[in-house]
Amino acid sequence: MRIAVTIFLTDETITPTRLARELEERGFAGLYLPEHTHIPVERTTPYPAGGELPPEYGRTLDPFVALGQAAAVTGRLGLGTGITLVAQHDPIDLAKQVATLDHLSGGRFTLGVGFGWNVEEAADHGVRWSTRRALVRDRMALMRALWSQAPTAYEGEFGSVRASHAFPKPVREPRGPVVGPRTLVGGAAGPGLFAHIGEYADGWLPIGGRGLGEALPLLRTVWADAGPRPRGPPGRPLRRPPHPRQARPLRRPGHRGSGGAAASGRGGGGAQDPGPPRRVPLTTPLWNRDVGAYY
């Protein structure tokens, strides 16, 4: 089993460089960071998990800057966004950021694509909530044009770009309709989300593992209709971090006690490149007291 970490890195947490080193030493497969540019104080959108919005949402580091630091001090650790709010970005700038990070990390970057939940945050970026999914699709298409090997123009509903020289390119070769870095789309299961995956992504980023069995047949159908891919569709569940008091401490690699199986066999920085993480839900949340990370 390959396990990756998702964590809110903020101005009050462990630094990206230290965390990345610690994760790679312990044989973790990847580090995924969320994104929020700001959280408006006057907010009517409810927190999806219920209750008060945790303060770290308003303190998150820019994921591309933080992952760039992580890339500079590691050689095997996968790096990804969980997720990028694509609608809130200029697509030409975002295409450059993504391609640069993928290039400098040697192809270790995964672009997690999301549509957002905070109406007020999106509105400050000029995003019309009812059309945000169509906007994301359009911006992904524009970015694919810039990532193509030959200069390619794009004219869409929300944006356009002339045929351009745009380097560096993402490391991975095109996979059927997918151009760019490894790309996963986050969100709740359904025909609309799966249509996005079939059009421009390598797989799905569900929140948690509940309901995967019921959803996968539809995803496989959409996947097959979209054309051949080098490998079958992955699905990488993300869990919301538990409270530390509800979690259990990390055991170092090889430990046979509680939680040891999740981290066994990949310690000391000597593991070979584990490749992309397997898409398996975490059934036992763990708290790493040494590096301050949930996984």
Side-chain angles (χ1 to χ4, degrees), residues 175-178 196-203 222-223 226-232:
R175 289 88 65 202
V178 184
H196 281 259
I197 294 172
E199 180 178 338
Y200 59 77
D202 295 294
V222 173
W223 191 264
R229 301 288 213 284
R231 298 179 64 180

Side-chain angles (χ1 to χ4, degrees), residues 145-146 150-154 161-165:
L146 290 170
T152 303
Y154 177 76
V161 67
R162 296 174 176 85
S164 304
H165 299 293

Side-chain angles (χ1 to χ4, degrees), residues 53 76 90 122 157 193 205 267 269 292:
L53 183 69
R76 301 181 309 278
D90 177 286
E157 179 182 359
L193 181 83
L205 268 174

